[in-house]
Amino acid sequence: MTQALPKLLTFDEFSEWYPNDGKRYELHKGVIVEMPSPTGAHEKVLGFIARKLTVEFDRLNLPYTIPKTALVKTPSAESAYSPDVLLLNLDNLDNEPLFQKQSTVSQAASVPIVIEVVSTNWRDDYYNKFRDYEEMGIPEYWIADYAALGARKFIGNPKQSTIFVCELVDGEYQMTPFQANTAISSPTFPKLNLTAQQIFDAAN
């Protein structure tokens, strides 16, 4: 007896389906995935990071913003992610065909930094999103693993809370880990005054 394979959705089908029920959904290789409800600590961490970045791009008078909800559509068009913190370049949004109606970007020029705050589905952040953001050409990707949920090969044994800054170099992400009181080095914001521990403390 053969079992029918589930129908994979296109991005357009996913966009049309997306309900206004207060939940977050992503499209992973054509499959709808409901995102886990964030914990209070998760929300405090992403709020703290967003605030620090906002202060910095405001200080530099850059044409950036951080939207409340927006999607990043990958080059394959089989996936669409809703990042925890998405820094958008306002100057490129006129070139985004999906932004006005669907709050969706698909060009690396629109995304100076994308940040995922790691939760129970940590493999998505370390593997799938890492691969897709890299393929898309987003210049800087942070993996904020404040609760030390990732694999030991990434964050050590015993596991340690870690912030990874992944910088796109020759089309590939170079991962730099930051732990404890190490100052975070951001290619986009070289004078950002922020340590890994400050982010971890925001969860408390």
Side-chain angles (χ1 to χ4, degrees):
M1 180 177 175
T2 58
Q3 186 173 356
L5 293 173
K7 180 182 181 297
L8 299 180
L9 271 66
T10 65
F11 173 79
D12 288 341
E13 289 171 332
F14 169 69
S15 184
E16 289 175 14
W17 165 88
Y18 206 104
N20 187 19
D21 60 3
K23 298 178 182 177
R24 288 172 63 213
Y25 300 91
E26 294 184 337
L27 189 67
H28 292 204
K29 291 191 174 297
V31 177
I32 294 171
V33 176
E34 181 182 343
M35 305 310 291
S37 297
T39 63
H42 182 280
E43 292 294 280
K44 287 195 287 185
V45 166
L46 74 86
F48 177 76
I49 294 173
R51 177 165 65 89
K52 287 294 185 180
L53 293 185
T54 300
V55 167
E56 188 64 6
F57 71 68
D58 190 53
R59 182 183 73 82
L60 296 169
N61 198 29
L62 294 169
Y64 295 166
T65 192
I66 297 176
K68 182 175 181 291
T69 53
L71 290 171
V72 175
K73 178 172 165 284
T74 65
S76 63
E78 295 175 344
S79 297
Y81 301 129
S82 175
D84 288 310
V85 180
L86 175 63
L87 191 63
L88 289 182
N89 181 353
L90 295 170
D91 284 351
N92 196 63
L93 294 185
D94 285 345
N95 301 319
E96 289 283 1
L98 300 173
F99 188 76
Q100 290 302 326
K101 289 188 176 181
Q102 296 168 301
S103 187
T104 299
V105 295
S106 58
Q107 300 172 13
S110 299
V111 187
I113 297 179
V114 63
I115 298 173
E116 299 290 356
V117 178
V118 178
S119 54
T120 51
N121 54 339
W122 63 267
R123 287 177 177 82
D124 288 338
D125 301 327
Y126 278 96
Y127 293 105
N128 300 336
K129 295 179 182 181
F130 180 97
R131 176 197 63 230
D132 289 343
Y133 293 151
E134 180 183 67
E135 180 193 3
M136 189 173 167
I138 293 174
E140 189 171 340
Y141 170 38
W142 291 21
I143 302 172
D145 197 348
Y146 74 95
L149 297 173
R152 289 178 178 84
K153 67 179 178 180
F154 293 115
I155 61 175
N157 187 13
K159 294 184 177 185
Q160 293 186 65
S161 299
T162 307
I163 308 294
F164 286 97
V165 174
C166 309
E167 179 184 5
L168 197 70
V169 179
D170 296 330
E172 296 182 2
Y173 277 145
Q174 306 297 316
M175 297 178 73
T176 303
F178 298 92
Q179 297 174 331
N181 289 310
T182 307
I184 291 172
S185 177
S186 165
T188 304
F189 298 117
K191 294 187 177 180
L192 182 67
N193 185 17
L194 181 64
T195 67
Q197 193 61 50
Q198 285 177 291
I199 294 176
F200 306 148
D201 289 345
N204 299 326

